Each structure stands twice: as C-alpha cells, then as structure tokens.
Amino acid sequence: DRLEWQSQGLPSDSLSLENGVIISRCARFPLIIDPSGHAIDFMMKKYKDQKIQKTSFLDKSFMKVLSGAVRFGTTLLVENVEKLDPVLNPILNKEIQRTGGRSLVRIGTEDVDFSPKFNIILTTKNPAVKLT
C-alpha cells in the first residue's frame, strides 16, 4: 500500500502514512489532519475516478455540493474543518430513512436521496482540533 500511496503523491513521513491508513481502513468517514496540504493532493488523485469534489463550510454553495454528492454517490472532500457543521450530523450518524423504496437523509430542511456510494472525507490543518 505504501508504494502505491507514494506513487499517488503521498509523502513518506509518519503523519502522511497514518493518514493513508485512515483513508484506506476507516469504517465511517475519516478526519485527516493535514498541516502541509499533501494529503489533500493525494486524495484528489486517489479519488479522481470517483469524481471527487472539494469544498469547505465557508463555500457559498456548500449545501448544494453536499446534496449533489449525497444524491449521486460521489466522494466529497471538506477542507479546513475546525468545527462540525450541524448539517452533517444526519449524514455522519447515518440517519437514513427508508420511504417507498427510497433511502433519504435530511440535509438542512430537505430530504435528499442517499446513495450508498457516497463518501465524505474531512480534513483540517489544525493538529489540535477537537470535534464533538
């Protein structure tokens, strides 16, 4: 795995390797601590075939991008996460409602079709971030 990660641009320092393990083996949605920005470049290359999109909570179109990723099952990379936006809670807690053969998750005030292929990766540059 390490050689493949390095070929995709991930540095070989211990923090970068830990991030690689987290991305590859996490069961839910990973939080990547990335003070240098190398992990973001690595993930953009790693997930380019899955049409990864990059956004942040400060992006004016964040809700639209999030809804589209959830609906179409793409990977969403959220940068500069210092606090968790409450709009993510239903997604992170997998609060999926099944209605008439559809899987729905609430994003803000609307219910959005939930694709099982959806993936979200949270990144921060702050090594002391505490998300609760």
Side-chain angles (χ1 to χ4, degrees):
D1 283 346
R2 287 175 25 176
L3 291 175
E4 181 181 334
W5 297 338
Q6 288 173 357
S7 73
Q8 293 172 330
L10 190 68
S12 59
D13 62 274
S14 63
L15 178 62
S16 296
L17 293 176
E18 287 175 18
N19 285 336
V21 170
I22 289 169
I23 293 166
S24 299
R25 307 240 192 294
C26 72
R28 296 194 96 188
F29 305 114
L31 170 68
I32 304 300
I33 297 171
D34 183 28
S36 66
H38 293 300
I40 291 172
D41 296 336
F42 163 72
M43 287 181 285
M44 294 304 288
K45 288 178 188 169
K46 181 174 176 62
Y47 291 103
K48 73 178 176 192
D49 293 339
Q50 298 171 11
K51 298 184 175 86
I52 187 169
Q53 292 180 285
K54 187 169 31 170
T55 188
S56 78
F57 293 136
L58 302 175
D59 187 353
K60 290 179 181 163
S61 61
F62 174 75
M63 294 290 282
K64 184 178 174 184
V65 172
L66 175 64
S67 295
V70 168
R71 181 175 288 122
F72 298 114
T74 59
T75 298
L76 185 65
L77 184 129
V78 182
E79 296 181 288
N80 303 319
V81 175
E82 298 298 322
K83 294 183 224 164
L84 279 180
D85 190 319
V87 78
L88 287 181
N89 288 343
I91 295 169
L92 298 177
N93 294 330
K94 295 221 176 194
E95 296 170 8
I96 299 166
Q97 305 158 11
R98 308 228 185 275
T99 307
R102 294 170 61 193
S103 297
L104 302 170
V105 66
R106 183 160 288 274
I107 298 177
T109 58
E110 74 178 284
D111 289 331
V112 175
D113 286 298
F114 181 84
S115 169
K117 293 180 182 178
F118 170 71
N119 186 23
I120 188 168
I121 301 168
L122 307 172
T123 66
T124 182
K125 292 181 186 243
N126 181 358
V129 70
K130 292 189 179 184
L131 303 177
T132 55

